Amino acid sequence: MLPTTCGLIEKIRIHICKLWWDNRGQARIHWFSWGRLCIPKEMGGMGFRDLTLFNQVLLAKQGWRLISFPDSLLPKLWKARHFPGSDFLQAGMGTVLDNDEAFET
């Protein structure tokens, strides 16, 4: 999961907002809240992704692949490194790596 404790998802969201509403360093008015922008287009929103939910979906998909294809290369590597004494479902939470510097401006 993207580290939410250090605010990485929030920093990405801020950069997206700057991309859409920043005008050469002069901030413009945000006419709608981020939650309203994340509403699907069919329901009157802009269809932006909710980054927290999108992160969870991608993690669930990766977990499903680890469980469905345990003999492929990636699950073997992850098991050897992250949970050598158990399997994916019994593994506990690990430490969050601080790779936040890649998103600094």
Side-chain angles (χ1 to χ4, degrees), residues 8-40:
L8 183 59
I9 291 177
E10 182 64 21
K11 288 179 184 179
I12 293 171
R13 190 187 68 76
I14 288 170
H15 284 290
I16 292 171
C17 287
K18 284 182 181 179
L19 175 73
W20 277 86
W21 290 287
D22 196 19
N23 186 18
R24 298 183 197 148
Q26 298 176 349
R28 294 188 282 177
I29 296 174
H30 294 214
W31 293 105
F32 297 110
S33 68
W34 184 257
R36 188 167 174 190
L37 294 175
C38 290
I39 295 173

Side-chain angles (χ1 to χ4, degrees), residues 19-92:
L19 175 73
W20 277 86
W21 290 287
D22 196 19
N23 186 18
R24 298 183 197 148
Q26 298 176 349
R28 294 188 282 177
I29 296 174
H30 294 214
W31 293 105
F32 297 110
S33 68
W34 184 257
R36 188 167 174 190
L37 294 175
C38 290
I39 295 173
K41 289 181 181 180
E42 298 82 28
M43 297 174 64
M46 291 287 291
F48 286 20
R49 300 266 188 210
D50 181 351
L51 298 177
T52 304
L53 292 176
F54 192 62
N55 184 31
Q56 290 175 353
V57 168
L58 291 177
L59 288 172
K61 182 177 179 181
Q62 191 63 43
W64 174 82
R65 289 184 60 87
L66 290 172
I67 294 169
S68 298
F69 305 106
D71 294 328
S72 63
L73 181 62
L74 185 63
K76 287 181 181 180
L77 291 173
W78 277 19
K79 179 172 175 49
R81 180 173 177 146
H82 299 291
F83 40 92
S86 64
D87 64 348
F88 174 71
L89 293 176
Q90 277 74 37

